[in-house]
Amino acid sequence: MRRGPARLVLLGAPGSGKGTQGAALASRLGLPYLSSGALLRRQAAAGTELGREAAGYLDRGDLVPDELVVALLRGALNARPSSGGYVLEGFPRTRAQAEELEALAPPDAAIFLAVPDEVARGRLERRAGQGRSDDAHREVVEHRLARFHDTAKPLLDFYRKRGILVDVDADAPPEAVTAAIARALGAGSRPSLG
Ligand code: ADP
């Protein structure tokens, strides 16, 4: 097992609570929190070249092409100390992205937040109107859920084979899910939350 601060990846459907849990874990562990969705939305809002290229995909709920996302995440990961940990949310989402991450800074644990689609839909409906345009349209939400199901299996298989996949039942209140993640990480030879 690699020594040093934890490197954690959060996987899950839209509405699975990746952002909530990512922020909670990062603050609890004192690690940098990187969210691919937030980074992409920031680029789009700032109107950078990358942001303009990504904007249509974000609006439709399509995956942004690997080369754009990888360039953005490479920059963000390289901006932190190379020996340091991270909590990464929303990346990787494809097998190619997972392989890039192995080359950049391989994770110690990939935490899969499992929720039924109906629960995810309900959460996104409640979040609609809080500013994210991709939450406000039902067809975009359905498209994001479908894209998640198209791409999840190869990613989960990739991390299961690596022996670092942690399955967590995310159909529970946020604090209970954080506690379940802490228990799961503490149980193995994985980074402990103390
Ligand atoms: P959610 O998981 O709820 O869809 P995110 O904020 O993680 O929310 O992602 C929002 C959008 O950003 C996605 O629909 C997609 O367009 C884009 N995106 C985020 N991360 C990636 C990624 N790793 N690869 C491709 N597109 C991404």
Side-chain angles (χ1 to χ4, degrees):
M1 155 87 198
R2 198 185 60 83
R3 299 219 167 254
R7 293 173 178 173
L8 305 176
V9 160
L10 284 163
L11 310 172
S16 62
K18 297 187 300 291
T20 304
Q21 296 304 324
L25 286 171
S27 93
R28 207 158 150 170
L29 293 164
L31 293 172
Y33 169 56
L34 299 173
S35 158
S36 58
L39 289 169
L40 284 164
R41 284 188 289 278
R42 201 171 306 147
Q43 294 285 322
T48 64
E49 192 181 337
L50 191 151
R52 288 198 307 273
E53 281 187 59
Y57 297 92
L58 294 171
D59 290 344
R60 290 189 298 275
D62 270 329
L63 289 186
V64 174
D66 283 339
E67 60 271 22
L68 292 181
V69 181
V70 166
L72 187 60
L73 268 290
R74 186 182 292 132
L77 282 164
N78 286 340
R80 48 170 263 296
S82 61
S83 61
Y86 58 71
V87 176
L88 190 46
E89 181 256 306
F91 182 96
R93 256 172 160 99
T94 64
R95 175 73 189 249
Q97 292 178 14
E99 278 162 10
E100 286 286 345
L101 185 60
E102 291 301 308
L104 283 167
D108 307 306
I111 301 158
F112 174 50
L113 300 176
V115 285
D117 279 4
E118 271 318 298
V119 172
R121 280 192 189 94
R123 290 178 181 173
L124 292 169
E125 258 166 42
R126 284 192 294 280
R127 196 170 77 183
Q130 289 180 21
R132 268 183 62 173
S133 61
D134 59 347
D135 288 341
H137 302 286
R138 199 187 201 134
E139 62 283 5
V140 175
V141 166
E142 288 307 316
H143 195 62
R144 282 156 59 208
L145 276 169
R147 284 294 79 78
F148 168 74
H149 288 296
D150 292 345
T151 53
K153 189 172 180 304
L155 261 192
L156 296 178
D157 287 347
F158 180 86
Y159 287 121
R160 193 175 292 116
K161 279 204 191 107
R162 276 255 273 119
I164 62 165
L165 186 68
V166 177
D167 264 289
V168 172
D169 175 7
D171 183 8
E175 313 73 51
V177 177
T178 310
I181 296 172
R183 274 197 306 279
L185 292 176
S189 56
R190 297 203 177 83
S192 158
L193 293 187

